[in-house]
Structure formats: C-alpha cells, structure tokens
Amino acid sequence: MFTQIRWRLVRWNVAVFGLILLIVGGSAYAAAARRLPNEVDRELENRGNAVLATPRGLEREEFTNSQSGYRGGYFFLGLGPNNEVLANPQQVPVPDLPPLNPEDLTPRYYTLQVRGESVRFYVRPIYPPNNPLPAGRPIFAALVVGQSLTPVHNALQRLLLGLITAGVIGGLLIVAGAWFLAGRALVPIETAFRRQQEFIADASHELRTPLTVLRSSADLLDRHRQDPLETNGQLFDDLRDGLERLERLANDLLTLARSDLGEQALAVAPLDLSAFVSSIARQTTPLAQAHQLQLLCQPASEELSIEADPDRLHQVLLILLDNAIAHTPAGGTITLGIAQQGGEGLITVRDTGEGISATDLEHIFDRFYRADGTRSRTAGGAGLGLAIAKALVESHDGRLNIESILGQGSVVTIHLPLLNRPTTF
C-alpha cells in the first residue's frame, strides 16, 4: 500500500517540478529569442549612426575606403535616389530591397535571404530621394547596414540544446529527489499508521477482558435464573465492576480522541495554583497513608494564578499521584511542589520510588505502554493515564516532562502559562 502511495507522490512531484522546469526553460529560451535579435538591431543602428556622425563619412570615396576590408560580420551599402546600390565595399550580393518612400525618413529593418542565409538589414534614409542632390551633401539617399543572423541562430540552437540537456538531467534528478522526498514524507504516515494499528489491537485487548467477565457473569446468571437474587450477589458485583471498567476505558479513549482532533472542551477559569494543589494534596493524603507513604506539599511563597479547567487539571494530578503511589515502596515520600519559572507556573510531583529506565522513559507517554516494556496484559489500569495527562496539559498550552533515574525515583513537571506573566524586554 505504501509503495503505491510513494509512486503516486513521485508522479505528482515529477509532474509539478517538470512543469516548473519546462516553464522556466521555455521562458529563458523565449527571452533569449527576443533579446538577441533586438541586440542585433541596436548594434546595426549604432554602427549606422557612427558612420553618419563621421565627417565626410558618406562621401563615396571616403565611405568606400573606410568600410573596405571590414571583417566584423557587418557590411555597409550606399543607396542612390532610385534605390540603386552606389557603394558596396564588402561586395555583398544584395537582394532587391523594398523601395524608399520619398515622404518617410523613418529607419526600417528587413530580414532577407542572401545565398540561403538570413540577413538583417538596417535602412536609414538620409533625405528624400526624389529631391535633387544639393551641393556639398552626401551623395547617398540611404545608408544600409547589414549583418548575418547565423550567429544568432547558432546561439539559440546551442541554448536550446543546453536547455534540453539540462532538462533531461534535471528530470532524472527530480525523479530521484521525488523518490527520496516521498519516502521521507511517508515516514510519519507509516509511523502513525503503525501506532494506530497497535492502538486498535491494544484497545481491543483491553476491551476483551471486561467483556469476557461480563459474558461469563451473564452466563452464570442465566444458569441460576431460578435462584433468589441475593444468592448471586457476587455475580452482580462482577458485572458492576466490568461495566465500570468499560466506562472508564471508553471515557479515556474519548478524551484521547478529542485531544487528537483538538476538540477537547475546557471550562477554564482563573485558578490560584497553590490553593488548588494544596487542596488536592489534602484529599490524596489518606490514600498515601494507606500505602504507608508520606505526602508533602510545598506551596509557592507568592500567589500564582493560571487559567485552567479545574476538573481536567484535577484529573491530571490524580493520574500523576496515583502513579507515584503505585511505584513508591512503603516508607517513601511523595512531594507536591509549586514554583514559578519565567512566565510559567510549575507543578512538580517528586517521588522516591523505583524510577524508570532510560529505555522505558522514551515510551512513557505511548498509549497502553507499561514501564515494564509490555502492553497492558494484567489487571489494573489500561496504560492510558500518562497519555491522557499529557494531552490534557497540552490542551492548556502547557508541557509535561518526566525525569527519572532507575532506583532513585522520578520527577514529573507540569509547565502552565501564568495569567500575569512578567514582561521581558
């Protein structure tokens, strides 16, 4: 499946970048095809102006001597009043030029064939050809400057060949690059797909246990349906426990699904962080004492206000405290701390428990993950607690970090933005 998707991405990338390459190359060629002839026209005009600016430049003898032997690819002609060629120093076989308009002195350009070769002509009328030649004036009615267009055509052919070669090489590079980029783009998709498959498998496994209990209890009740209800009290307790476990799991999965979609509903309100955490510590102290643990609370020395959903934040702290109590041996200590760091309020849950290995720490927020490196296959929680806590904290624009050393305990830190943040310049 992913190979087909990769090839589809490659085809789209090649089509898009190939089109861009074609547009850029075509635009470059079109610009050169316009620029080079224009440069030829400007050069012809400049050379004609240079001849006209030279004293006696159009006198027949002076013109012939000065232009004779020119080897720069240009040639000059002097036309008489009747469009006849009066001077042709380079002995160019001149085709029939369009007749001069006696009323129009505007310079003209022509492209004509000379011996099968395209030649550009610049015709500059000097004075109306039907007027008599005044004494002391140039004997030519028009000046013609010409140049072969073969170098221009050769340059355009070389440019086209270079663009085609570059296009072929670029196309191969685009295919290779598109294959590489498509592979890189599919990495997170493959990871997400794999995690989704694992999530579905683990959720199915977690649902199977309470459903099995419910099915077994229902079968037993069916076989003893004639017995009085009070004799089947244990079966009703099992049914109720199974239903409660299913309800908890369904609520946890719904919370994660809403967080993934960014649809987590929060009833936020200003909250005094120290008072809120102290209240939770007081409520949780009996549970810690039942496990022979000491629960300490270290409130901040100043009032820290945040904007949060108290019910959701209460859920987060209960998850963290429940984990700390479950993984701290009897006689240990759990400390709830509140502090300020820049524009954030920090809530820390520190325990002296068994700690978490570096390998497990990398996956601690994975859904259904257990710190022993296995998925949830025993009685107890479904392994969704820390994933839910992280999602709820992030829905408050906060961060949840865990630091732990195996055998020395763990420190969980919640970062939440304060309402009155200090201004930083």
Side-chain angles (χ1 to χ4, degrees), residues 168-368:
V168 172
I169 297 175
L172 295 176
L173 293 177
I174 287 174
V175 172
W179 178 262
F180 173 76
L181 291 177
R184 297 293 297 174
L186 285 176
V187 169
I189 299 176
E190 292 178 357
T191 302
F193 182 79
R194 185 176 63 254
R195 292 185 63 181
Q196 181 186 26
Q197 296 298 103
E198 294 176 353
F199 180 81
I200 293 174
D202 293 329
S204 301
H205 172 79
E206 291 297 329
L207 289 170
R208 185 185 306 161
T209 301
L211 288 174
T212 301
V213 172
L214 291 175
R215 179 62 182 269
S216 300
S217 300
D219 289 343
L220 286 174
L221 283 175
D222 183 62
R223 288 199 297 267
H224 299 85
R225 65 171 59 222
Q226 303 300 329
D227 297 344
L229 292 178
E230 57 270 13
T231 61
N232 296 309
Q234 185 62 46
L235 292 177
F236 281 107
D237 291 339
D238 293 341
L239 285 171
R240 185 172 57 251
D241 292 341
L243 290 173
E244 289 178 354
R245 184 172 181 181
L246 282 176
E247 183 180 11
R248 287 196 304 271
L249 182 58
N251 288 333
D252 290 345
L253 293 175
L254 183 60
T255 298
L256 290 173
R258 287 175 175 172
S259 297
D260 291 341
L261 295 175
E263 299 177 353
Q264 187 65 256
L266 299 176
V268 297
L271 198 63
D272 184 347
L273 200 57
S274 294
F276 179 75
V277 174
S278 298
S279 174
I280 294 178
R282 184 176 60 256
Q283 298 170 16
T284 317
T285 296
L287 179 62
Q289 292 176 347
H291 288 78
Q292 302 178 13
L293 300 173
Q294 184 180 13
L295 180 60
L296 304 177
C297 183
Q298 298 176 344
S301 58
E302 56 184 335
E303 181 178 342
L304 301 178
S305 296
I306 63 172
E307 192 172 54
D309 185 333
D311 293 334
R312 293 301 189 181
L313 192 56
H314 185 275
Q315 182 181 358
V316 171
L317 289 176
L318 286 184
I319 290 172
L320 300 181
L321 288 172
D322 182 67
N323 279 346
I325 291 172
H327 295 89
T328 301
T333 303
I334 299 173
T335 305
L336 267 173
I338 302 99
Q340 178 181 352
Q341 186 180 73
E344 295 180 331
L346 307 184
I347 306 174
T348 58
V349 180
R350 186 185 303 271
D351 64 62
T352 58
E354 57 197 37
I356 307 171
S357 68
T359 302
D360 291 328
L361 200 59
E362 296 178 358
H363 305 281
I364 200 67
F365 292 115
D366 291 352
R367 299 167 187 183
F368 296 106

Side-chain angles (χ1 to χ4, degrees), residues 146-163:
Q147 182 190 11
S148 172
L149 292 179
T150 299
V152 174
H153 295 162
N154 292 339
L156 290 176
Q157 288 178 357
R158 289 193 299 269
L159 176 60
L160 181 59
L161 181 60
L163 289 175

Side-chain angles (χ1 to χ4, degrees), residues 117-162:
E117 183 178 359
S118 295
V119 177
R120 189 69 167 168
F121 289 86
Y122 169 70
V123 180
R124 169 70 181 273
I126 301 172
Y127 56 85
N130 58 347
N131 290 352
L133 297 178
R137 294 294 301 273
I139 64 171
F140 300 129
L143 171 68
V144 178
V145 185
Q147 182 190 11
S148 172
L149 292 179
T150 299
V152 174
H153 295 162
N154 292 339
L156 290 176
Q157 288 178 357
R158 289 193 299 269
L159 176 60
L160 181 59
L161 181 60

Side-chain angles (χ1 to χ4, degrees), residues 36-164:
L36 292 179
N38 290 337
E39 291 180 355
V40 170
D41 290 348
R42 283 195 299 270
E43 185 63 23
L44 291 175
E45 182 180 1
N46 292 336
R47 290 182 178 273
N49 292 335
V51 172
L52 293 175
T54 303
R56 300 181 62 192
L58 289 180
E59 297 291 345
R60 177 177 296 184
E61 183 179 353
E62 185 70 23
F63 178 81
T64 302
N65 293 334
S66 62
Q67 310 304 327
S68 179
Y70 181 73
R71 297 294 183 267
Y74 296 90
F75 59 88
F76 298 85
L77 302 174
L79 300 183
N82 297 319
N83 217 36
E84 69 274 15
V85 178
L86 299 180
N88 187 358
Q90 283 82 18
Q91 301 301 314
V92 177
V94 182
D96 292 335
L97 295 173
L100 297 174
N101 186 350
E103 304 298 332
D104 189 2
L105 297 179
T106 305
R108 293 176 178 83
Y109 293 93
Y110 303 103
T111 301
L112 302 174
Q113 295 293 319
V114 177
R115 293 181 178 176
E117 183 178 359
S118 295
V119 177
R120 189 69 167 168
F121 289 86
Y122 169 70
V123 180
R124 169 70 181 273
I126 301 172
Y127 56 85
N130 58 347
N131 290 352
L133 297 178
R137 294 294 301 273
I139 64 171
F140 300 129
L143 171 68
V144 178
V145 185
Q147 182 190 11
S148 172
L149 292 179
T150 299
V152 174
H153 295 162
N154 292 339
L156 290 176
Q157 288 178 357
R158 289 193 299 269
L159 176 60
L160 181 59
L161 181 60
L163 289 175
I164 293 175

